[in-house]
């Protein structure tokens, strides 16, 4: 069985990379000055952000390879399993890393808002690719955080460190929006596949046997993480992925309700509802009238 190494503290990671621990909860590393690591699988108990400046090896999440090229950012959240697969015996990239323990965020505004940065849960083929100007802004954030870590700890330290981390995350949000915009052709292809997936799902017995399709199911079928998929759909359509699925269900429901050869219960089961009353409630919440009322009106 493959050994998984737990990284549950900043000190654990620092020791592995051969660097001194200046602050117990956060560190910025110049990866070119750290000890190389061999191919291994890691379970992170920390938040981590890596900026890669040299193509050297691969990172894997599950069975998928990160889209982790030169000048790209990868975000890791506590609980993620990452596998390093170097192209050589050891993995010694040129770049930067920021690691911080969840305890650093306790009592801070960032601690309350960290969940909104959904890119921490992106996975395969979903790294942030930076332009030269964007890379310089990210490096500036890294250096500002490093400066604060190197100062004697006082009552301002935690606020200044977390504020600079939040600034980095807000810039990353902006850069991801830019990346979604510049990949419109790719995103359009994903939406077309999403539409085809829903059509085939409801045209088969899947809905009857498996129930309504979830966002997680659709994302997995498209080889995307749920958060990346949801953000992509929202960016392209203005609707959440869940709303998109619900609209498709309502469209199909209205179409099938007009078929007088089927009763409402049959239609509910066909669409994936476990109980007809759940379908009736859903339909009324969406349109303001029940399926039977819709049938009678039309």
């Amino acid at each position: 069985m493959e050994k998984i190494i737990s990284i549950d503290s900043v000190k654990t990671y620092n020791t592995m990379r051969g660097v001194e621990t200046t602050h117990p909860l956060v560190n910025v590393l110049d990866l070119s000055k750290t000890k190389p690591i061999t191919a291994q699988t890691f379970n992170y108990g920390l938040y981590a952000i890596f900026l890669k400046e040299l193509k050297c090896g691969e990172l894997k999440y599950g069975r998928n390879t990160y889209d982790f090229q030169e000048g790209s950012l990868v975000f890791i959240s506590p609980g993620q399993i990452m596998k390093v697969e170097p192209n050589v015996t050891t993995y010694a990239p040129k770049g930067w890393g920021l690691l911080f323990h969840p305890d650093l965020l306790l009592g801070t505004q960032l601690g309350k808002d960290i969940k909104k940065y959904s890119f921490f849960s992106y996975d395969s083929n979903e790294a942030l690719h930076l332009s030269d100007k964007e890379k310089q802004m990210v490096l500036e954030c890294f250096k500002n955080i490093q400066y604060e870590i190197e100062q004697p700890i006082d009552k301002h330290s935690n606020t200044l460190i977390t504020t600079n981390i939040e600034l980095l995350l807000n810039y990353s949000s902006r850069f991801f929006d830019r990346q979604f915009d510049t990949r419109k052709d790719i995103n359009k292809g994903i939406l077309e596949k999403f539409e085809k997936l829903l059509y085939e799902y409801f045209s088969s017995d899947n809905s009857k046997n498996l129930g309504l399709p979830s966002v997680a199911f659709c994302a997995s079928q498209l080889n995307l993480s749920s958060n990346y998929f949801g953000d992509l759909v929202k960016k392209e359509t203005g609707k959440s992925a869940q709303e998109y699925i619900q609209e498709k269900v309502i469209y199909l429901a209205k179409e099938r309700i007009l078929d007088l050869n089927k009763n409402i219960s049959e239609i509910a089961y066909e669409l994936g509802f476990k109980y007809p009353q759940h379908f009736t409630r859903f339909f009324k919440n969406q349109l303001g009238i029940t399926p039977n009322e819709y049938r009678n009106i039309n």
Side-chain angles (χ1 to χ4, degrees):
M1 185 175 179
E2 183 180 19
K3 182 180 179 181
I4 298 177
I5 298 175
S6 295
I7 303 175
D8 52 9
S9 70
V10 170
K11 184 177 181 180
T12 299
Y13 189 83
N14 288 345
T15 301
M16 182 175 64
R17 302 310 299 262
V19 300
E20 182 184 353
T21 299
T22 306
H23 192 295
L25 298 178
V26 58
N27 196 22
V28 175
L29 301 95
D30 180 347
L31 298 177
S32 66
K33 298 178 181 179
T34 63
K35 185 171 71 175
I37 56 176
T38 57
Q40 295 185 73
T41 300
F42 302 96
N43 181 358
Y44 278 79
L46 312 171
Y47 289 97
I49 303 172
F50 291 107
L51 170 63
K52 191 175 183 183
E53 294 185 318
L54 180 68
K55 188 164 181 60
C56 176
E58 295 180 337
L59 288 181
K60 287 201 170 185
Y61 181 94
R63 292 173 297 175
N64 300 310
T65 303
Y66 258 112
D67 189 3
F68 191 29
Q69 303 165 359
E70 183 176 347
S72 63
L73 274 179
V74 160
F75 299 83
I76 301 170
S77 61
Q80 283 191 348
I81 306 293
M82 298 297 301
K83 185 172 184 179
V84 176
E85 289 192 349
N87 292 332
V88 291
T89 306
T90 57
Y91 178 72
K94 178 185 176 186
W96 291 79
L98 166 65
L99 293 97
F100 56 97
H101 196 279
D103 287 356
L104 180 74
L105 310 183
L106 292 176
T108 68
Q109 188 60 44
L110 180 56
K112 298 175 183 177
D113 295 339
I114 191 70
K115 293 298 184 184
K116 78 178 184 181
Y117 299 104
S118 54
F119 43 77
F120 271 110
S121 295
Y122 291 178
D123 51 46
S124 62
N125 304 314
E126 299 163 358
L128 172 58
H129 305 296
L130 302 171
S131 68
D132 289 339
K133 286 185 177 180
E134 290 169 349
K135 189 168 103 174
Q136 289 308 311
M137 295 179 77
V138 167
L139 287 173
E140 195 67 31
C141 288
F142 276 126
K143 289 174 182 177
N144 287 341
I145 297 167
Q146 185 179 41
Y147 172 81
E148 289 301 330
I149 293 171
E150 291 171 350
Q151 303 309 303
I153 295 177
D154 59 28
K155 65 180 182 180
H156 303 288
S157 299
N158 190 264
T159 299
L160 289 169
I161 291 170
T162 56
T163 298
N164 277 287
I165 292 175
E166 187 171 15
L167 179 63
L168 171 61
L169 297 180
N170 286 334
Y171 273 127
S172 298
S173 294
R174 170 188 280 180
F175 300 156
F176 263 116
D177 281 346
R178 183 269 309 156
Q179 182 162 292
F180 279 123
D181 287 337
T182 56
R183 291 186 168 191
K184 279 189 175 294
D185 289 343
I186 297 173
N187 295 344
K188 183 179 178 182
I190 293 172
L191 286 177
E192 289 173 350
K193 290 179 181 177
F194 181 30
E195 185 70 27
K196 181 182 179 183
L197 172 66
L198 292 177
Y199 173 80
E200 292 176 348
Y201 190 90
F202 287 108
S203 297
S204 67
D205 290 332
N206 282 342
S207 53
K208 184 183 292 186
N209 297 331
L210 303 177
L212 293 167
S214 66
V215 173
F217 169 82
C218 294
S220 68
Q221 294 299 301
L222 298 171
N223 296 315
L224 298 171
S225 67
S226 295
N227 278 351
Y228 187 90
F229 174 63
D231 290 347
L232 185 154
V233 173
K234 183 74 172 180
K235 184 70 178 176
E236 293 298 311
T237 68
K239 306 166 189 171
S240 70
Q242 185 62 39
E243 290 171 337
Y244 196 97
I245 293 171
Q246 289 175 345
E247 284 194 1
K248 174 61 66 175
V249 173
I250 285 295
Y251 175 83
L252 293 171
K254 290 193 293 186
E255 186 177 62
R256 297 182 188 188
I257 285 170
L258 298 182
D259 181 359
L260 299 182
N261 293 318
K262 296 180 180 178
N263 61 46
I264 300 303
S265 293
E266 287 177 307
I267 295 169
Y269 293 131
E270 282 182 1
L271 291 173
F273 289 88
K274 191 173 182 179
Y275 303 105
Q277 56 267 37
H278 290 175
F279 169 60
T280 298
R281 189 181 306 121
F282 167 77
F283 193 92
K284 187 170 184 178
N285 286 340
Q286 296 291 317
L287 298 182
I289 56 177
T290 67
N292 275 319
E293 288 170 339
Y294 182 85
R295 172 174 278 178
N296 292 335
I297 290 171
N298 289 279

